[in-house]
Amino acid sequence: TTTTTTTDAKSSSTATTTDPTTGCMSGSGFVDEGDVGLNQCPDPEMCTCRDGKFVDCHRRRKEFVDLFSWEREAFINAYLTVTQGGGSLQARYELIASEHHRLFFTAIHTQQFFLTWHRWFLLAVEDLLREVNPCVTIPYWAW
């Protein structure tokens, strides 16, 4: 919210107006630009409001078998959109997948930094999925 204060010289009064266009709507109300609030996902996440959108959300991942049916459907729909929907999302996904494939055949799986290396790829794909649906996270599978 942008607050503007004006002073009327004749009456010496001050009026404050609020501009509701700079901020984010959360499940519990309006969040000012730069502040932290809950997004509007069914399972709300704590996020920062920036440029009218919630970003830097604290993501909560679930095991695939623990997802509600709507969460599974949202994940699958976002994945299909990113991987088969064409456009820039699919192009960006294919770049990530191509790089992963290229490095897969090196000795990457024997390196001590493998887990952090692979986590970066998962996060990059998840960020694409969240452009389709900001409530989606990549589930994990507990073997």
Side-chain angles (χ1 to χ4, degrees):
T1 304
T2 302
T3 303
T4 306
T5 304
T6 57
T7 304
D8 183 348
K10 292 180 184 176
S11 63
S12 298
S13 66
T14 302
T16 302
T17 58
T18 301
D19 176 7
T21 61
T22 55
C24 300
M25 185 55 70
S26 79
S28 59
F30 195 78
V31 177
D32 288 330
E33 186 75 17
D35 286 350
V36 174
L38 295 174
N39 63 15
Q40 291 185 328
C41 293
D43 187 11
E45 304 165 327
M46 190 65 69
C47 310
T48 302
C49 178
R50 188 176 312 128
D51 297 327
K53 294 182 179 182
F54 281 117
V55 296
D56 301 329
C57 298
H58 296 259
R59 304 170 190 194
R60 288 186 293 276
R61 291 173 184 81
K62 294 181 178 179
E63 184 176 1
F64 188 80
V65 297
D66 292 335
L67 294 176
F68 293 108
S69 61
W70 65 265
E71 290 172 310
R72 259 188 236 116
E73 288 175 27
F75 169 71
I76 291 168
N77 289 337
Y79 184 79
L80 290 174
T81 299
V82 166
T83 60
Q84 300 174 10
S88 69
L89 286 175
Q90 184 175 351
R92 289 164 43 210
Y93 171 80
E94 288 174 357
L95 282 173
I96 295 166
S98 174
E99 184 66 6
H100 183 273
H101 184 264
R102 185 183 71 76
L103 293 170
F104 181 84
F105 294 104
T106 66
I108 194 70
H109 290 94
T110 62
Q111 301 299 314
Q112 62 184 350
F113 54 83
F114 168 73
L115 292 177
T116 54
W117 172 85
H118 201 264
R119 183 68 194 113
W120 181 89
F121 281 95
L122 290 173
L123 184 60
V125 170
E126 186 175 85
D127 286 345
L128 291 176
L129 298 175
R130 288 174 72 92
E131 286 186 41
V132 175
N133 182 336
C135 300
V136 167
T137 58
I138 293 179
Y140 64 89
W141 285 261
W143 301 95

